[in-house]
Amino acid sequence: MISLSYFFTVLLTFFVAEMGDKTQLMLFALTSKYKIRSIVLGTAAAILVINGISVCAGGLLNEFLKSHLWIVKLIATAAFFYFSATSLIKNEDEEGVGESKISFASLAVFCIFFIAELGDKTQLSAITFGATNGLNPALFFVWLASSIGFFAADIIGLVLAFILHGKTPDRFFKLLAFAVFAVFGFVNLYEVLLDLNAQLLLLPIMAGSAFLFTGICAIIILRNRKLH
């Protein structure tokens, strides 16, 4: 059993750590693709799962992530580019499909959030708290406090996005989603290349990726114009 003061220390630590983090911005951007309910369900599930893994694995998982972090970042890079490009897609049947695809939408949010958060400072914080307490019943309260603080910070971003949605054109949010995910994608790709000590290939790979990504986006925009 942990003290109440320690419980709130963990909670506030995660709340502060998540404020302004990439996943908070990512959830803000996801409001252009999915309904708030889908995002909340997917986010809550991802937070509970990833914090549960982190506090239980402790130092062991920490060592694993340090040696394989570039793989995690590469997966996140592909996910970010995918969500950025698909933010530009206009569907003819967007109206009325939200409820029938609620499970898929929540699963999609869960996957992108889970992948993006792997190796992030909040997950490493959960690992640290878990390793400090060891395998005992206190882990449940560490998991609960970290998840509440984590989720509370992300909910603030979602509430702000929900408020702005009523006053801002949907096109703005789609462009915001495109920009946010694209930036995260290129930042992650840059970090992967640094982790692999591929400085000599840094410029050509970044330039080639930018060229390929721009081409894909151009194709999507042309498709949208034909549909219109």
Side-chain angles (χ1 to χ4, degrees):
M1 183 70 67
I2 63 176
S3 65
L4 190 61
S5 60
Y6 186 76
F7 181 90
F8 281 104
T9 297
V10 175
L11 191 155
L12 290 175
T13 298
F14 278 80
F15 180 82
V16 173
E18 184 62 11
M19 291 299 294
D21 191 63
K22 68 176 186 295
T23 43
Q24 190 182 43
L25 298 174
M26 180 190 69
L27 291 175
F28 189 96
L30 277 174
T31 56
S32 68
K33 295 175 65 65
Y34 303 116
K35 292 186 176 182
I36 295 295
R37 185 172 67 174
S38 300
I39 299 174
V40 169
L41 290 174
T43 300
I47 288 174
L48 291 174
V49 171
I50 198 168
N51 281 350
I53 292 174
S54 300
V55 298
C56 290
L60 182 62
L61 185 56
N62 192 9
E63 290 302 315
F64 174 81
L65 287 174
K66 283 182 178 179
S67 59
H68 297 84
L69 191 56
W70 70 271
I71 298 177
V72 174
K73 289 181 179 179
L74 189 60
I75 295 173
T77 298
F80 284 138
F81 281 140
Y82 171 78
F83 271 80
S84 177
T86 54
S87 296
L88 298 175
I89 296 176
K90 290 182 179 180
N91 296 320
E92 295 178 306
D93 57 347
E94 283 182 344
E95 296 296 329
V97 300
E99 293 302 319
S100 63
K101 295 185 178 180
I102 181 69
S103 297
F104 171 76
S106 299
L107 179 61
V109 174
F110 171 88
C111 292
I112 186 65
F113 189 96
F114 186 89
I115 292 173
E117 195 59 30
L118 286 176
D120 195 64
K121 64 179 182 295
T122 42
Q123 193 210 12
L124 297 179
S125 297
I127 292 171
T128 301
F129 279 115
T132 301
N133 286 274
L135 294 175
N136 58 65
L139 280 183
F140 171 78
F141 295 98
V142 173
W143 168 71
L144 184 62
S146 61
S147 298
I148 292 174
F150 202 159
F151 188 68
D154 289 331
I155 282 296
I156 290 177
L158 287 176
V159 170
L160 180 61
F162 180 76
I163 293 173
L164 291 178
H165 255 306
K167 303 177 181 179
T168 310
D170 287 340
R171 182 178 177 83
F172 169 78
F173 282 92
K174 289 183 180 294
L175 292 176
L176 176 64
F178 167 77
V180 168
F181 287 121
V183 169
F184 287 159
F186 282 109
V187 168
N188 269 32
L189 179 60
Y190 176 80
E191 291 178 351
V192 168
L193 295 174
L194 290 183
D195 289 344
L196 295 176
N197 294 318
Q199 283 84 351
L200 294 178
L201 299 175
L202 184 63
L203 185 59
I205 291 179
M206 292 293 290
S209 300
F211 180 79
L212 179 62
F213 181 70
T214 302
I216 293 173
C217 292
I219 293 173
I220 293 174
I221 293 174
L222 290 175
R223 171 188 174 276
N224 290 340
R225 290 181 177 177
K226 288 182 179 180
L227 288 177
H228 181 72

